[in-house]
Amino acid sequence: MHLEIRQTKDGSNTLYVPELNEHYHSVHGALQESQHVFIRHGLEHMLEQKKDLKVLEVGFGTGLNAILTFPAALAKKAFIQYDTLEKFPLSEETVKQLHYENIILNPELHERFYQLHAAAWNQPVDIIPYFTLQKIHESLEEFVAPQSYYDVVYFDAFAPEKQPELWSDAMFEKLYKAIRPGGVLVTYCAKGSFKRSLKAAGFEVEALPGPPGKREMTRGVKPLIRS
Ligand SMILES: C[S@@+](CC[C@H](N)C(=O)[O-])C[C@H]1O[C@@H](n2cnc3c(N)ncnc32)[C@H](O)[C@@H]1O
């Protein structure tokens, strides 16, 4: 797949996929989007409740969400098991061209970013004592999810118009079962049809303010007791 590096409005880079006419992140700011949607309203929201979290990411891609999960985990001394699905892993060359070391404030983490990408697939790897990564080279469609297991799902697929098969009722039913009661799914998308699919799967749907350039984002909560 041909990919091009593009700079977003907050200065951080993203990838553009000409074949899909789609970016990996918001053109209004890749870093701001990731921090706001996945870290603040997903990870940090759950860290208020417990200090030992199992995260599932749909779409590892550039590793931006993974590396931003680190400082949050370190600050709270929280244990994170980070499982991430990826159907089309990026080449080392593409990852280097993103220069994400420039947006990671803590210099100790620069090398860790490349460790995330160098880590073996399909096996747990301890990156730091607080963070275990398991990159799963599999599509969401193929993934056999454990039941009532994850605390947070970062749902970071390409947009519904580009990849409707990933935004289907069947996928949200699968993810609902994979999340433990009280756990959440967060995503940048706020489309009505998507929110109806979340509700149909059993989630309570929260519309939250979006990152810069986007009015809304969505958090689905798996209720503690299903009514
Ligand atoms: C919007 S990008 C976001 C990626 C990543 N979270 C990041 O910050 O770079 C979507 C990602 O989903 C991956 N993907 C596409 N189809 C997939 C599938 N069926 N199952 C799992 N991942 C998929 C893409 O290769 C891409 O890396």
Side-chain angles (χ1 to χ4, degrees), residues 185-203:
L185 176 151
V186 278
T187 186
Y188 62 86
C189 181
K191 264 188 96 167
S193 53
F194 153 63
K195 290 194 272 192
R196 285 191 288 281
S197 292
L198 273 189
K199 272 190 199 145
F203 288 97

Side-chain angles (χ1 to χ4, degrees), residues 20-38:
L20 293 176
N21 185 24
E22 173 76 330
H23 293 84
Y24 270 53
H25 306 98
S26 165
V27 293
H28 300 287
L31 177 61
Q32 285 178 343
E33 175 186 57
S34 180
Q35 280 284 12
H36 180 90
V37 175
F38 301 106

Side-chain angles (χ1 to χ4, degrees), residues 76-177:
K76 304 265 180 178
K77 295 207 175 353
F79 288 95
I80 309 290
Q81 180 189 321
Y82 195 97
D83 292 355
T84 178
L85 299 171
E86 180 54 65
K87 192 174 179 185
F88 308 109
L90 295 173
S91 70
E92 200 183 323
E93 193 193 334
T94 302
V95 170
K96 281 191 179 144
Q97 285 172 357
L98 286 161
H99 288 294
Y100 277 166
E101 65 278 9
N102 295 339
I103 58 173
I104 303 165
L105 296 178
N106 182 347
E108 281 175 29
L109 293 182
H110 292 179
E111 205 41 49
R112 304 286 184 202
F113 176 66
Y114 292 101
Q115 277 179 23
L116 296 176
H117 283 281
W121 289 89
N122 304 317
Q123 54 179 279
V125 178
D126 290 333
I127 306 287
I128 51 168
Y130 288 110
F131 190 98
T132 302
L133 173 74
Q134 181 165 217
K135 296 191 296 185
I136 304 167
H137 190 183
E138 207 167 32
S139 68
L140 175 62
E141 299 92 312
E142 292 166 323
F143 180 54
V144 180
Q147 306 286 292
S148 283
Y149 187 75
Y150 293 105
D151 299 288
V152 191
V153 171
Y154 297 170
F155 194 80
D156 200 10
F158 291 125
E161 311 81 65
K162 310 293 175 173
Q163 262 197 317
E165 67 281 9
L166 288 194
W167 298 82
S168 65
D169 287 355
M171 292 305 121
F172 294 116
E173 279 162 24
K174 182 193 274 210
L175 292 171
Y176 182 87
K177 287 184 191 150

Side-chain angles (χ1 to χ4, degrees), residues 54-89:
K54 294 185 178 74
V55 177
L56 174 68
E57 177 179 41
V58 178
F60 176 65
T62 64
L64 182 60
N65 294 332
I67 195 71
L68 293 177
T69 297
F70 259 43
L74 282 171
K76 304 265 180 178
K77 295 207 175 353
F79 288 95
I80 309 290
Q81 180 189 321
Y82 195 97
D83 292 355
T84 178
L85 299 171
E86 180 54 65
K87 192 174 179 185
F88 308 109

